[in-house]
Amino acid sequence: MAMHLRWLSAAPCWRAVRGACGELRAYGELRAWAPRCAAGRLCRPPGTACREQSRGLGYGPPVGGGSRLRTRLAAGLAGLVGLAAAAFGHVERAEMVRKSSGAQSASPGRPEEEDDELARRCRCFMAPPVTDLRELRRRPDDMKTKMELLILETQAQVCQALAQVDGGARFSVDRWERKEGGGGISCVLQDGHVFEKAGVSISVVHGNLSEEAAKQMRSRGKLLKTKDGKLPFSAMGVSSVIHPKNPHAPTIHFNYRYFEVEEADGNTLWWFGGGCDLTPTYLNQEDAVHFHRTLKEACDQHGPDLYPRFKKWCDDYFFIAHRGERRGIGGIFFDDLDSPSKEEVFRFVQSCTQAIIPSYVPLVKKHCDDSFTPQEKLWQQLRRGRYVEFNLLYDRGTKFGLFTPGSRIESILMSLPLTARWEYMHSPSENSKEAEILEVLRHPRDWVP
């Protein structure tokens, strides 16, 4: 799984150096990162550039054929926008290095645009954008540009926070390309001090939706206007699943994405989707309240009805039907958000990405050094088995990706934990801590008013 470094070799603000055993490394390991970018200035939280005051969201209910169509298509394309794993053998690394000692003006003989605001933002990222900087400069107000920069900022912020918590492990950075159009950047930490496996990936893909996929969408109640059997689309998003080692530290998943589909008559359909959910091995009431309250505060900035609506949607979506239980204690989940305007929905997604770190990192810090018994570790492995069952049997993005030609299998399966366990007819003792979490998974609770 070779990493494509053509951009790195040409870009003046990125440099990779080859270390021992052919490993590509950069000056300053990720584990030593402070929350500052390579230029020495403080990195903004995801999506905070040019922040505007929210005017609130007035989403209509997700009903109707077009809505079902977009939900299905969004879930399908999410397989392409999902996590991308690094190879588990020889892994090439490319990480940010300081371009200079902090000079903000263009160097002699260097184009001034290489020191513009966009270039300076890019120095905070884990790798250069998928889209060429010249293209991003040509369309600064296009939603595809805004969303790509948001997901890159989110990836960098989360990776920095996780690396600092882990206290020694490094993220491998795998830059990949999709022959049909676009590519992605996968950041993976494995066998760390705190995290067994943590992946944070972004994808920016485009091309033509296959006729088979278009037919599948039509069966959901919408007639797509194709031309010569082609339906151009663009999709981009950030996805992450983080599995800590300690059974008292919960697993988190988040995904935020944007889609555009261009019909034959030139009409462009667009929508946002995403969510964030928590999967603890054992129930901790205080943790559950903190997680849900943080997400609710992000949602409430844009309307009081959003959190309860998206919380229920999350409980309903992450349901393991054959077990009669949810994957975790929920969070928020939404799809097909296309009103009242791109800018207002985008600002809502910004708020959601900014809630990731404060909702989760304090919980890991709180529990990463907790003592645990072999029985508690066993229960964690059994619950991870349930996580695998949901992702392989029910997750629409995973299923779509596995059956889509040209899909990147490592990317699709990135969400799976390193270890899991299944035992025949295992049942926890009555009134045990294990039975307590099962009761919550079978009957979801409202954690915050």
Side-chain angles (χ1 to χ4, degrees), residues 232-370:
F233 78 93
S234 296
M236 59 198 65
V238 57
S239 294
S240 178
V241 177
I242 302 163
H243 296 288
K245 287 185 171 181
N246 195 301
H248 297 292
T251 287
I252 191 176
H253 157 263
F254 66 83
N255 176 287
Y256 293 102
R257 54 194 180 271
Y258 174 70
F259 298 90
E260 286 188 1
V261 176
E262 183 180 341
E263 296 184 297
D265 60 3
N267 181 49
T268 298
L269 302 177
W270 62 267
W271 62 93
F272 291 84
C276 184
D277 59 281
L278 197 71
T279 303
T281 302
Y282 289 97
L283 179 63
N284 183 298
Q285 179 89 12
E286 186 178 90
D287 293 353
V289 170
H290 169 83
F291 181 76
H292 278 267
R293 178 181 291 132
T294 306
L295 297 185
K296 182 179 185 297
E297 289 172 353
C299 292
D300 285 352
Q301 298 177 43
H302 305 271
D305 62 317
L306 300 183
Y307 169 78
R309 175 185 168 194
F310 296 157
K311 192 267 185 188
K312 183 181 186 306
W313 202 341
C314 187
D315 289 338
D316 292 342
Y317 178 76
F318 291 103
F319 181 64
I320 308 173
H322 65 278
R323 299 287 189 180
E325 60 192 45
R326 276 75 186 168
R327 190 177 73 177
I329 63 168
I332 59 172
F333 177 86
F334 57 90
D335 216 337
D336 189 37
L337 298 189
D338 58 2
S339 67
S341 70
K342 284 185 183 180
E343 287 298 329
E344 288 175 282
V345 184
F346 178 67
R347 285 195 291 270
F348 169 67
V349 173
Q350 282 182 317
S351 297
C352 292
T353 62
Q354 292 163 18
I356 295 167
I357 293 173
S359 71
Y360 180 65
V361 169
L363 307 184
V364 178
K365 289 181 177 180
K366 176 181 175 182
H367 295 293
C368 63
D369 294 322
D370 286 0

Side-chain angles (χ1 to χ4, degrees), residues 117-321:
E117 176 60 21
L118 178 59
R120 289 192 290 271
R121 289 181 70 182
C122 290
R123 294 178 195 135
C124 289
F125 302 157
M126 301 298 289
V130 174
T131 304
D132 188 273
L133 279 183
R134 291 168 295 185
E135 176 65 19
L136 295 177
R137 286 189 179 99
R138 281 195 294 268
R139 48 176 173 86
D141 297 323
D142 189 287
M143 186 53 67
K144 294 190 292 294
T145 297
K146 294 181 179 181
M147 190 64 181
E148 182 168 353
L149 295 178
L150 173 63
I151 62 179
L152 285 162
E153 287 176 340
T154 302
Q155 180 186 55
Q157 290 283 328
V158 173
C159 287
Q160 289 175 30
L162 296 180
Q164 290 169 1
V165 171
D166 198 87
R170 300 175 300 179
F171 275 90
S172 64
V173 180
D174 178 24
R175 186 179 177 87
W176 53 273
E177 294 180 357
R178 177 176 176 266
K179 65 179 182 179
E180 293 82 0
I185 301 160
S186 301
C187 300
V188 183
L189 182 156
Q190 291 188 151
D191 287 320
H193 294 180
V194 173
F195 301 106
E196 179 180 282
K197 186 179 183 183
V200 188
S201 270
I202 68 102
S203 295
V204 180
V205 298
H206 56 86
N208 289 301
L209 194 66
S210 68
E211 181 61 27
E212 179 181 352
K215 289 179 180 178
Q216 190 177 36
M217 298 307 104
R218 293 190 188 98
S219 70
R220 306 295 295 180
K222 179 73 172 181
L223 178 62
L224 295 175
K225 304 170 185 176
T226 62
K227 183 177 182 180
D228 299 326
K230 295 182 179 180
L231 191 67
F233 78 93
S234 296
M236 59 198 65
V238 57
S239 294
S240 178
V241 177
I242 302 163
H243 296 288
K245 287 185 171 181
N246 195 301
H248 297 292
T251 287
I252 191 176
H253 157 263
F254 66 83
N255 176 287
Y256 293 102
R257 54 194 180 271
Y258 174 70
F259 298 90
E260 286 188 1
V261 176
E262 183 180 341
E263 296 184 297
D265 60 3
N267 181 49
T268 298
L269 302 177
W270 62 267
W271 62 93
F272 291 84
C276 184
D277 59 281
L278 197 71
T279 303
T281 302
Y282 289 97
L283 179 63
N284 183 298
Q285 179 89 12
E286 186 178 90
D287 293 353
V289 170
H290 169 83
F291 181 76
H292 278 267
R293 178 181 291 132
T294 306
L295 297 185
K296 182 179 185 297
E297 289 172 353
C299 292
D300 285 352
Q301 298 177 43
H302 305 271
D305 62 317
L306 300 183
Y307 169 78
R309 175 185 168 194
F310 296 157
K311 192 267 185 188
K312 183 181 186 306
W313 202 341
C314 187
D315 289 338
D316 292 342
Y317 178 76
F318 291 103
F319 181 64
I320 308 173

